[in-house]
Amino acid sequence: GAIPIVNPGSYPPHKITNLFNLATYYPLTRSISFDSSKSEQFFFEPFIQTGPNSWATKQLEGDLSIEPGRDRKGPITIGAVISDKKASPLEALLSQDNSEKNEFRLVIMGDAGFGTNSHVRSMGNGDIFQNIVSWLAEEGDLISIRPQEIVTSTLVLSPDQINVILYVSVLIIPSGVLMIGLFVWRGRRRL
């Protein structure tokens, strides 16, 4: 299909995806690249990449055929972090000392739709979106896989409502089916 799915275990190492074991998908994504001449000033760290069997293509209409001269083979970066060169987020992940902080944090996603209402409850999209926001807010302790909320609903019936349900389901409906069966049987017997 044309929608890239990132499977657990294929996320590049980063604090946002540390121990992240849910698949995510990106319905309308584009690739992200970094100008290597800026590597003296900034860290560019991919944290979401497509699999090695994926392709990035410039052909958006008609038959989606892969042309190696025109298209790029995966993994394709579709989510990355740009930060100041003062301290790498990967170094911060490995060290316990938080005294040196980045001057700024920037998350670039090739798809803004993965966090919308229609996709945020699917697969791990909501969790990765919340991890991104928590990392940007420097709330590392909130980066995790959140448990799904269990929605319980209780139906409270009055004694009269319980009696109506009992009589309808145990007496009236079976009696009606029995009566129809008897009329059909009698009608066929006369033929």
Side-chain angles (χ1 to χ4, degrees), residues 87-101:
S88 163
L90 186 57
E91 291 172 3
L93 174 65
L94 299 175
S95 74
Q96 299 298 328
D97 182 22
N98 290 333
S99 60
E100 187 175 356
K101 295 201 180 244

Side-chain angles (χ1 to χ4, degrees), residues 67-140:
E67 291 182 25
R70 177 193 67 201
D71 302 327
R72 200 167 27 121
K73 186 165 175 34
I76 307 295
T77 300
I78 57 175
V81 169
I82 295 180
S83 57
D84 199 1
K85 200 70 168 187
K86 290 182 181 178
S88 163
L90 186 57
E91 291 172 3
L93 174 65
L94 299 175
S95 74
Q96 299 298 328
D97 182 22
N98 290 333
S99 60
E100 187 175 356
K101 295 201 180 244
N102 292 328
E103 194 169 273
F104 73 90
R105 294 177 173 202
L106 178 66
V107 173
I108 301 170
M109 293 296 297
D111 180 14
F114 81 98
T116 60
N117 286 345
S118 57
H119 301 290
V120 77
R121 291 197 177 265
S122 301
M123 299 169 78
N125 285 17
D127 289 303
I128 197 77
F129 181 79
Q130 289 178 338
N131 283 3
I132 291 168
V133 172
S134 296
W135 183 81
L136 285 171
E138 296 183 5
E139 296 175 345

Side-chain angles (χ1 to χ4, degrees), residues 9-123:
S10 62
Y11 296 98
H14 193 270
K15 197 166 187 177
I16 294 173
T17 56
N18 187 29
L19 302 175
F20 194 78
N21 61 358
L22 297 172
T24 54
Y25 71 98
Y26 304 89
L28 296 171
T29 194
R30 59 183 301 140
S31 64
I32 298 171
S33 60
F34 182 68
D35 183 2
S36 59
S37 68
K38 302 290 184 186
S39 62
E40 297 277 329
Q41 262 180 306
F42 305 107
F43 281 107
F44 177 79
E45 296 178 279
F47 69 95
I48 298 176
Q49 290 180 326
T50 62
N53 295 327
S54 63
W55 287 83
T57 184
K58 294 179 181 179
Q59 180 180 348
L60 300 177
E61 295 179 1
D63 183 29
L64 293 178
S65 61
I66 305 300
E67 291 182 25
R70 177 193 67 201
D71 302 327
R72 200 167 27 121
K73 186 165 175 34
I76 307 295
T77 300
I78 57 175
V81 169
I82 295 180
S83 57
D84 199 1
K85 200 70 168 187
K86 290 182 181 178
S88 163
L90 186 57
E91 291 172 3
L93 174 65
L94 299 175
S95 74
Q96 299 298 328
D97 182 22
N98 290 333
S99 60
E100 187 175 356
K101 295 201 180 244
N102 292 328
E103 194 169 273
F104 73 90
R105 294 177 173 202
L106 178 66
V107 173
I108 301 170
M109 293 296 297
D111 180 14
F114 81 98
T116 60
N117 286 345
S118 57
H119 301 290
V120 77
R121 291 197 177 265
S122 301
M123 299 169 78

Side-chain angles (χ1 to χ4, degrees), residues 105-172:
R105 294 177 173 202
L106 178 66
V107 173
I108 301 170
M109 293 296 297
D111 180 14
F114 81 98
T116 60
N117 286 345
S118 57
H119 301 290
V120 77
R121 291 197 177 265
S122 301
M123 299 169 78
N125 285 17
D127 289 303
I128 197 77
F129 181 79
Q130 289 178 338
N131 283 3
I132 291 168
V133 172
S134 296
W135 183 81
L136 285 171
E138 296 183 5
E139 296 175 345
D141 54 334
L142 297 179
I143 296 176
S144 66
I145 298 173
R146 290 140 191 91
Q148 297 293 325
E149 295 178 17
I150 299 173
V151 179
T152 60
S153 59
T154 306
L155 177 63
V156 180
L157 299 174
S158 69
D160 291 336
Q161 291 170 327
I162 292 172
N163 288 335
V164 167
I165 291 173
L166 176 70
Y167 292 131
V168 168
S169 63
V170 174
L171 295 175
I172 296 173

